[in-house]
Amino acid sequence: MRTQVAIVGGGPGGAASALFLGEKGIDSIIVEAESFPRFHIGESMTGWVAETVRKWGLGDAMLEHQFPVKLAGTVYGTSGANRYDVPITASMGGAKRRQVRTWQVKRSAFDKMLLDTARERGAGYVHGKALEPIFDDAGAVKGLTVRTADGEQLTIEADAIIDASGRKTWLSGLGIAAKKERGGYENQIAVFSHLKGVVRNDGEEEGNTLLFYREVDHWAWLIPVDPEVVSLGIVTPVSYYKSRKETKEEFFYRELQEMNPNLAERVRGIELVEPVYATANFSYRIPQFTGKGWLCVGDAHRFIDPFFSFGIHLALAEAEKAAAYMADYLDGKLDGLDDPFEGYAEICERGMDTVQTLMDSFWANPLGWGYLLHYTEYGSDLLDIFGGRIYEEEPLPGLVKMRRIVAKARASESDADSEAFASVS
């Protein structure tokens, strides 16, 4: 079996890689161990992702799936009464930012749709577990081995490999990419499920992402994913979770009632449609994730935080950039370099660092961050970042301001919230 690019992982990063490669006339084969559809969180989409999905001609399919339309993300304060919105925008190809509609998605359906689309448009597919890359005498990729779902072992000859294995971090686990390092949110745990019977906002706000804040590192998300079901999760420090000495189900139900009054009003008469899941230490970074003929996309090298809709965004945006670099690599334009994809890695890190700053400044003080967005000259830059301008070589003034907020918060942890707010008011 032969292809130009072998892609490990059939989630959004892998499927999008195949689609972007196909647009450039590059053959690919996707290797995926799991059977789709499968449960996954990270259901919210940015405006840039929505515009990309429309560009692929999948807008009608999104409507057929009845994915909720999202106009904004809404943040509720500790009392549950005060709120502010983060409107959905998109900046495509350097064009001026504009407000758009995006979707929330049930990942089981969305991921399968994207994978099916990639296959329909020419990507090969192997249902099996990727074992190891194969390198030539010069240390460059020349293929990989796979154990199929039927138990057979096969070899795929390939000129390059994209690791889109998500949190499995395939190449890091093999010691080819660098070891995984804990990220900035390593001491948190997320407890979550899908539920029916949850009260959403009214009218056009029905599909919005809702965030309920209690205190630093303690908050909840509510994301509608179809006409009946919402994704609902509680994020807390691991120490607090352990101190409660509860099962994850007991912890989840109690927190729904206690952590925020607004949330408590929405969860009367709820019904689980998925088990209660828990995942800890979910933030990480792999500092070196490219090499001769291989690179990692999205969660395969870094995961920051589940809020603000950047999970799918980073997977698709990096897949687009990976395809461009793969085209140059296959054309011989990157020959002679120790790491042909070093430029790709620099771009990805710049984007991830921008999102990290966005997260850190928000959690330093959500009230102050909302003030920065809505009442200062930096608000336009924040909306540009939400719209997809995360890879700028020259940082936007709003990004510089957020970095100062984070630096002040870290310099005075005992009074981080008040200093962050004072810096923008």
Side-chain angles (χ1 to χ4, degrees):
M1 186 175 292
R2 172 116 177 80
T3 189
Q4 290 175 282
V5 181
I7 302 169
V8 177
S17 293
L19 286 166
F20 284 123
L21 288 168
E23 291 173 1
K24 296 179 179 299
I26 298 172
D27 296 333
S28 65
I29 293 176
I30 298 171
V31 179
E32 173 57 60
E34 293 189 58
S35 297
F36 282 42
R38 82 308 189 232
F39 178 79
H40 206 289
I41 58 168
E43 301 98 342
S44 202
M45 289 171 41
T46 64
W48 181 89
V49 173
E51 294 296 88
T52 301
V53 167
R54 292 186 183 102
K55 184 187 72 173
W56 284 332
L58 299 175
D60 289 343
M62 299 293 283
L63 295 175
E64 290 171 7
H65 278 287
Q66 296 185 292
F67 293 136
V69 174
K70 178 175 70 168
L71 301 180
T74 300
V75 180
Y76 289 93
T78 53
S79 69
N82 297 325
R83 59 168 278 185
Y84 64 84
D85 292 339
V86 183
I88 301 301
T89 64
S91 299
M92 302 292 289
K96 185 177 179 181
R97 181 192 74 240
R98 60 191 179 89
Q99 194 158 352
V100 299
R101 292 171 177 250
T102 188
W103 292 279
Q104 317 277 23
V105 294
K106 183 177 282 188
R107 287 287 300 275
S108 56
F110 176 77
D111 291 6
K112 185 177 186 303
M113 179 188 73
L114 213 58
L115 178 59
D116 289 347
T117 300
R119 296 176 66 181
E120 289 164 3
R121 297 183 185 181
Y125 178 77
V126 174
H127 185 198
K129 179 180 180 180
L131 299 177
E132 292 183 331
I134 303 170
F135 298 95
D136 63 20
D137 293 339
V141 163
K142 66 174 185 179
L144 78 161
T145 56
V146 177
R147 181 179 297 114
T148 70
D150 296 331
E152 297 182 19
Q153 186 162 320
L154 61 84
T155 297
I156 299 175
E157 296 179 13
D159 301 310
I161 292 174
I162 292 176
D163 179 1
S165 61
R167 294 187 63 191
K168 295 182 178 70
T169 59
W170 176 61
L171 286 176
S172 175
L174 292 172
I176 296 167
K179 290 183 179 180
K180 186 184 296 185
E181 297 177 354
R182 290 183 174 183
Y185 303 100
E186 74 276 10
N187 293 320
Q188 293 180 346
I189 187 169
V191 184
F192 53 90
S193 187
H194 280 186
L195 304 93
K196 289 183 179 180
V198 178
V199 177
R200 314 176 189 201
N201 282 4
D202 295 327
E204 285 197 331
E205 295 186 357
E206 183 180 4
N208 284 3
T209 296
L210 309 182
L211 180 142
F212 305 91
Y213 181 77
R214 177 167 175 173
E215 58 190 4
V216 175
D217 296 337
H218 197 165
W219 55 279
W221 78 74
L222 190 162
I223 302 173
V225 297
D226 72 17
E228 294 186 320
V229 176
V230 306
S231 170
L232 212 163
I234 307 290
V235 178
T236 74
V238 173
S239 57
Y240 171 74
Y241 176 78
K242 289 181 177 179
S243 73
R244 298 300 306 193
K245 301 185 185 303
E246 299 168 321
T247 66
K248 61 180 181 289
E249 291 81 10
E250 291 169 341
F251 181 89
F252 184 67
Y253 280 113
R254 181 190 52 73
E255 283 289 311
L256 291 181
Q257 297 298 326
E258 294 182 4
M259 74 154 295
N260 188 287
N262 193 306
L263 176 60
E265 288 296 318
R266 296 172 183 269
V267 293
R268 304 178 184 214
I270 55 176
E271 173 190 350
L272 286 180
V273 296
E274 290 284 345
V276 176
Y277 298 92
T279 181
N281 297 336
F282 51 84
S283 175
Y284 59 83
R285 175 176 178 265
I286 293 169
Q288 190 271 323
F289 55 93
T290 58
K292 287 188 176 181
W294 61 269
L295 58 81
C296 302
V297 163
D299 292 356
H301 72 90
R302 190 168 174 181
F303 182 72
I304 299 171
D305 189 39
F307 187 54
F308 284 146
S309 312
F310 275 102
I312 299 175
H313 180 109
L314 290 166
L316 268 60
E318 290 189 5
E320 182 179 37
K321 298 180 187 310
Y325 270 86
M326 281 292 174
D328 285 347
Y329 177 75
L330 296 172
D331 285 344
K333 297 177 181 178
L334 305 179
D335 287 351
L337 300 176
D338 290 338
D339 182 354
F341 301 117
E342 183 178 8
Y344 163 81
E346 290 176 357
I347 293 171
C348 291
E349 288 284 64
R350 187 160 62 238
M352 289 277 194
D353 287 345
T354 298
V355 175
Q356 182 80 64
T357 298
L358 195 69
M359 300 296 101
D360 290 347
S361 62
F362 177 84
W363 294 121
N365 184 275
L367 177 62
W369 192 92
Y371 184 91
L372 185 75
L373 173 67
H374 286 285
Y375 299 105
T376 76
E377 69 271 27
Y378 302 109
S380 179
D381 288 344
L382 268 64
L383 289 178
D384 273 352
I385 291 171
F386 275 110
R389 290 186 64 189
I390 62 175
Y391 298 106
E392 303 292 307
E393 292 188 29
E394 187 69 27
L396 297 172
L399 178 60
V400 174
K401 185 66 174 180
M402 287 191 290
R403 286 173 177 165
R404 291 174 182 163
I405 292 172
V406 173
K408 285 187 177 183
R410 289 174 176 168
S412 181
E413 291 183 2
S414 61
D415 196 24
D417 286 356
S418 61
E419 287 199 42
F421 182 75
S423 70
V424 297
S425 59

